[in-house]
Amino acid sequence: MVKMISIHSSRGGTGKSLISSNISAILASKGRNVALLDFDFRAPSLLTIFQSRNSVRRWVNDYLDGKAKIGDIMVDMTNKYKTKGRFLVGFANVEMDAMREIARKDRKWQMKALKRIMAMKEELAEQFGIEIVIIDTSPGVQYSSVNAVVSSDVCVIVSSMDLLDLEGAQRMVKDLYEPFEKRAYVLVNKATPHMFVKDDSQSSLVESIKGRFTQPLIAIIPCYCDLLLAQRVSLFALDKPEHPFSWALSEVAKRLEDS
Ligand SMILES: Nc1ncnc2c1ncn2[C@@H]1O[C@H](COP(=O)(O)OP(=O)(O)O)[C@@H](O)[C@H]1O
Ligand SMILES: [Mg+2]
């Protein structure tokens, strides 16, 4: 059975792309066959992270539009990252016109796209032996992210400690996750390091998150300046597996794999 996991948040900049690309790479290194898809059609990031413009023939946009087959959009990263399992990535079109076009799609098109996402999951399993599909979503409750969340078996809601992110995530839970009875975890990212210095400040942080969400808290990851210094062109968790950020994501990956 193939499992689909969406990495979602209420606002941009919480770390969805960094987290989804690294978790995918971690799972593929462990031997799982993984497909990662860029569904952030307004602000695509994976092409920059994977630096693979020359390998991309067609975009995820084209597949959702019924104009490309699954084999045309997936790029094989297995050799590049020397992963034990298969590691495929599907990219969102970075051209300005493509971003505008998808933003204009109506409800009818989006309903068709939802069916195509379900078909995509099956095709990835049948044609490539994919076991886990990870979606890097766009923030908020626009159609593309709603479609991704609705099609997923489990979701991760990423939030910083910023009240705007936290309250936005709570609204998303109420308006989207609860009506669709979606299983989700909360991941707090970019927590300020001073919260980890003393045990009591850490436990009050955990309590304050638990007070806001009924979904289980999967991790609290601090803000690490070395992540900002690291160039985007590498996958941090593969380059620096001993870094606490990489450990934290390995634990998250394991829980998602087992869930
Ligand atoms: N724990 C963290 N510590 C430091 N920087 C982080 C952390 N998580 C994410 N970032 C940085 O925050 C920025 C936004 O992350 P990104 O993954 O692009 O967010 P999103 O996809 O949600 O918009 C990037 O520069 C990323 O490297
Ligand atoms: Mg992103």
Side-chain angles (χ1 to χ4, degrees), residues 133-205:
V133 180
I134 296 188
I135 303 187
D136 180 17
T137 71
S138 56
V141 290
Q142 48 186 287
Y143 274 125
S144 66
S145 33
V146 171
N147 277 349
V149 167
V150 168
S151 331
S152 289
D153 302 289
V154 60
C155 305
V156 179
I157 303 168
V158 184
S159 177
S160 73
M161 286 304 292
D162 185 332
L163 204 55
L164 284 173
D165 284 342
L166 286 168
E167 289 191 352
Q170 282 176 278
R171 271 196 300 277
M172 248 170 34
V173 166
K174 198 166 150 287
D175 296 342
L176 174 61
Y177 286 78
E178 284 177 359
F180 285 98
E181 296 181 6
K182 277 291 149 190
R183 278 186 56 216
Y185 291 100
V186 173
L187 190 160
V188 172
N189 187 30
K190 299 186 174 179
T192 48
H194 80 268
M195 290 165 169
F196 293 82
V197 178
K198 287 191 205 147
D199 280 352
D200 58 340
S201 49
Q202 199 173 334
S203 55
S204 71
L205 173 63

